[in-house]
Amino acid sequence: MEKFQQSMYDLIVETSTKLPKDVRRAIARAKVRENAGTRAAMALDTIVGNIQMADENVSPICQDTGLPTFKIKVPVGVNQIEMKKAIRAAIVEATKNGKLRPNSVDSLTGKNSGDNLGEGVPVIKFEQWENDYIDVRLILKGGGCENKNIQYSLPCELEGLGRAGRDLDGIRKCILHAVYQAQGQGCSAGFIGVGIGGDRSSGYELAKEQLFRPVDDVNPIEELRQLEEYIMENANKLGIGTMGFGGESTLLGCKIGVMHRIPASFFVSVAYNCWAFRRMGVKIDPQTGDIIEWLYQDGEDVDFAKELEKAEAAAALEQGDTRVIDLVPPLSEEQVRKLRVGDVVRISGMIYTGRDAIHKYLMDHDAPVDLNGQIIYHCGPVMLKDEDGRWHVKAAGPTTSIREEPYQGDIMKKFGVRAVIGKGGMGAKTLQALKEHGGVYLNAIGGAAQYYADCIKSVEGVDLMEFGIPEAMWHLRVENFTAVVTMDSHGNSLHEDVEKSSLEKLAQFKEPVFK
Ligand code: SF4
């Protein structure tokens, strides 16, 4: 079992830090499709640079290392109880070494267990089979994309697409709608797994199962092969683009599975996965516990050399129409009101992290630091303390901002905050507050946890550690931290614009295709 535990540790580290070959190829294809000099191209350049940095540093690709889910097939006679113990020990070790963020939270008290263990965490599912080896697959799926999963009960009415009936064409509409409703919030460009049939839980299970298929495989069921091909061809016409900035690459993969259902129910379940598609697998020798083969290793390997350094990416934009503006907080209202949607900003100086717990806290308490003119970063970083008690950032990309919508506007006004950085955009309440108060929303590149960790030059303090590492308020000194203004103080929102134009484009797919 000791050897098996080591094998599981290696699998966890590899999954968290290195994208599999098929996923890399899909990202490389997206990069070719995107027009140079656009914000979407800059986002993809950042993503590619981030993947490269994660490879080199053996550090998490994204700071949200998700809910670890293991799918295991074992020969008859293998001791599953001991295997579970070894997997849990490997998870604890990987968390301690900064390869996984402590992500397991008590649903009632909100307390983080600190070691990624908890009731139902990690998810470990066993199945017996007749082969003589063990097959272990692992997926680390983060919250941003998990929250964009969606389930349809046919027949139904769909925004932009009209009625979706209980047939292949109705399924087609649901899948297109699933891509539309995700916008950039699940860190597009993404991959989707679709489950047709089953009940509410087995439908989602089947959808997630599809994510374990290689991106380049061909569906053996002819109708589904055609549907997958159709979706890949047409979903990218919605123009949502990387991070929802608009652009050519919205979907990187679509895999569809089917199972029986009962006559009264017809579910189409869609599991959305971000570009940071961290799933890996190994074959294990049941006698020794050794890895005998790594899975998802077929085909060409794309080695993402740092094609564009960060400065060069911004410089490429400068040559186009995009304004690139340097910001050093504290920011004045006048400075912020000059910023417009579409501007790219490079921040140097202090920023302060704050996510769900901090926002809730700040509603009823004073801030532990003076936030006047400052920037709040929606981020739950992976942090490690060295022997001298100094904190180091291991991964620090943005988290989904919309969760802070109930609080954000009030907090900006209460403390004089001038900018928030996050991903996926915010709603009408925040947009109104930005207008009244003089603030901006800055969209960082979701999942680019290594890229942003590299921009953080020092950790100058931390408050409210009682909320746990991801939720504490970290004081970070950054240099050339790049983000895009997607909501400004003049009532403009790129998120609203892209959503509106993609809804219009969705309508072109209203007519039946599969009779
Ligand atoms: S890339 Fe985005 S959606 Fe994916 S895990 Fe990271 S933050 Fe979440």
Side-chain angles (χ1 to χ4, degrees):
M1 268 309 148
E2 217 173 279
K3 197 69 223 199
F4 177 72
Q5 184 177 320
Q6 180 61 44
S7 298
M8 290 301 95
Y9 179 83
D10 293 345
L11 174 63
I12 295 162
V13 173
E14 187 77 2
T15 310
S16 177
T17 61
K18 197 163 186 183
L19 287 181
K21 282 185 182 176
D22 57 341
V23 173
R24 285 166 186 260
R25 287 194 295 269
I27 293 172
R29 286 195 289 270
K31 212 169 162 302
V32 170
R33 261 199 314 270
E34 210 51 80
N35 300 318
T38 59
R39 286 180 292 273
M42 180 203 78
L44 273 167
D45 283 337
T46 307
I47 284 170
V48 160
N50 186 77
I51 295 168
Q52 183 72 15
M53 289 165 92
D55 282 353
E56 285 166 10
N57 303 339
V58 197
S59 288
I61 294 161
C62 176
Q63 78 290 337
D64 185 354
T65 52
L67 176 68
T69 302
F70 293 83
K71 292 240 175 192
I72 307 174
K73 292 181 177 150
V74 292
V76 177
V78 167
N79 188 334
Q80 297 177 14
I81 296 170
E82 290 302 315
M83 283 174 75
K84 251 189 192 178
K85 279 189 202 156
I87 289 173
R88 288 169 71 85
I91 287 276
V92 172
E93 186 67 12
T95 310
K96 208 172 86 199
N97 294 340
K99 309 298 180 189
L100 294 176
R101 182 177 73 179
N103 246 6
S104 173
V105 172
D106 184 307
S107 295
L108 297 181
T109 64
K111 194 172 180 317
N112 193 316
S113 69
D115 59 5
N116 264 314
L117 299 183
E119 205 53 55
V121 182
V123 176
I124 305 173
K125 290 183 177 158
F126 286 100
E127 200 184 306
Q128 281 190 335
W129 69 354
E130 291 184 346
N131 291 326
D132 60 359
Y133 62 90
I134 300 169
D135 179 298
V136 186
R137 315 251 169 159
L138 169 63
I139 188 164
L140 301 172
K141 188 170 184 296
C145 56
E146 180 67 11
N147 294 345
K148 297 318 290 183
N149 293 353
I150 189 164
Q151 192 168 58
Y152 301 89
S153 174
L154 296 180
C156 63
E157 286 294 322
L158 297 172
E159 219 183 343
L161 290 164
R163 189 178 173 79
R166 290 183 156 194
D167 51 23
L168 203 57
D169 210 66
I171 296 164
R172 172 189 72 89
K173 287 187 178 180
C174 292
I175 302 172
L176 285 172
H177 186 269
V179 176
Y180 157 74
Q181 63 85 40
Q183 292 289 305
Q185 290 162 14
C187 290
S188 58
F191 299 80
I192 50 173
V194 181
I196 304 167
D199 63 8
R200 287 209 183 268
S201 60
S202 63
Y204 263 134
E205 179 90 0
L206 180 64
K208 288 196 171 179
E209 189 69 43
Q210 302 310 304
L211 296 175
F212 285 104
R213 283 173 50 194
V215 177
D216 311 315
D217 76 352
V218 177
N219 200 313
I221 302 172
E222 179 54 18
E223 297 97 304
L224 298 187
R225 183 198 66 74
Q226 284 180 25
L227 186 54
E228 287 177 0
E229 207 175 285
Y230 170 91
I231 295 291
M232 286 310 295
E233 194 185 320
N234 291 291
N236 286 319
K237 293 181 186 162
L238 295 177
I240 296 164
T242 304
M243 292 300 125
F245 290 166
E248 309 300 317
S249 298
T250 302
L251 194 65
L252 301 174
C254 170
K255 299 288 153 190
I256 308 171
V258 64
M259 59 173 27
H260 278 55
R261 59 184 173 84
I262 56 171
S265 306
F266 196 133
F267 295 110
V268 176
S269 312
V270 182
Y272 189 94
N273 206 105
C274 52
W275 67 263
F277 187 13
R278 291 153 293 172
R279 62 108 170 80
M280 192 56 82
V282 285
K283 288 182 182 175
I284 301 272
D285 181 335
Q287 310 304 328
T288 64
D290 282 316
I291 294 173
I292 45 182
E293 189 182 329
W294 286 89
L295 304 172
Y296 306 108
Q297 297 306 319
D298 294 338
E300 185 205 344
D301 193 9
V302 180
D303 181 15
F304 290 123
K306 281 187 202 163
E307 292 166 37
L308 277 173
E309 291 292 340
K310 281 171 284 180
E312 286 172 12
L317 280 169
E318 258 170 344
Q319 285 159 18
D321 298 337
T322 309
R323 298 195 305 168
V324 181
I325 295 160
D326 289 306
L327 294 179
V328 180
L331 308 175
S332 67
E333 181 178 348
E334 195 194 351
Q335 253 180 311
V336 165
R337 287 209 184 268
K338 282 186 188 153
L339 296 172
R340 298 271 172 179
V341 158
D343 290 344
V344 171
V345 297
R346 271 186 310 227
I347 303 162
S348 295
M350 292 303 294
I351 61 174
Y352 299 89
T353 66
R355 37 185 276 163
D356 310 42
I358 295 286
H359 281 77
K360 192 160 175 285
Y361 175 90
L362 290 178
M363 290 298 279
D364 314 316
H365 298 83
D366 284 339
V369 288
D370 181 5
L371 289 174
N372 196 24
Q374 299 296 345
I375 301 176
I376 288 184
Y377 182 23
H378 298 161
C379 169
V382 179
M383 306 291 292
L384 268 193
K385 208 180 210 174
D386 66 20
E387 284 154 3
D388 302 326
R390 278 195 301 263
W391 285 102
H392 299 274
V393 184
K394 303 306 285 181
T399 192
T400 306
S401 299
I402 197 70
R403 296 197 307 271
E404 320 315 338
E405 179 68 4
Y407 316 109
Q408 196 65 76
D410 295 333
I411 283 170
M412 289 184 84
K413 289 179 189 170
K414 181 174 171 187
F415 297 102
V417 173
R418 289 287 166 208
V420 288
I421 311 170
K423 73 169 177 83
M426 303 194 73
K429 197 172 169 227
T430 303
L431 190 61
Q432 184 59 26
L434 297 179
K435 204 169 158 184
E436 286 166 14
H437 165 66
V440 280
Y441 176 81
L442 307 172
N443 203 119
I445 311 305
Q450 290 308 310
Y451 170 86
Y452 287 116
D454 191 50
C455 295
I456 297 169
K457 298 306 166 195
S458 60
V459 181
E460 307 224 333
V462 59
D463 286 302
L464 302 167
M465 265 299 262
E466 59 269 33
F467 296 142
I469 287 177
E471 296 282 345
M473 180 182 268
W474 296 94
H475 311 183
L476 307 173
R477 183 167 295 282
V478 301
E479 218 175 274
N480 291 329
F481 185 111
T482 305
V484 179
V485 178
T486 54
M487 293 166 71
D488 66 21
S489 62
H490 309 282
N492 304 310
S493 164
L494 180 68
H495 308 283
E496 267 182 24
D497 295 349
V498 171
E499 189 166 345
K500 202 166 148 238
S501 71
S502 58
L503 182 60
E504 284 164 14
K505 288 176 183 144
L506 192 63
Q508 68 182 295
F509 302 114
K510 203 169 176 176
E511 295 309 315
V513 174
F514 298 100
K515 304 258 164 58

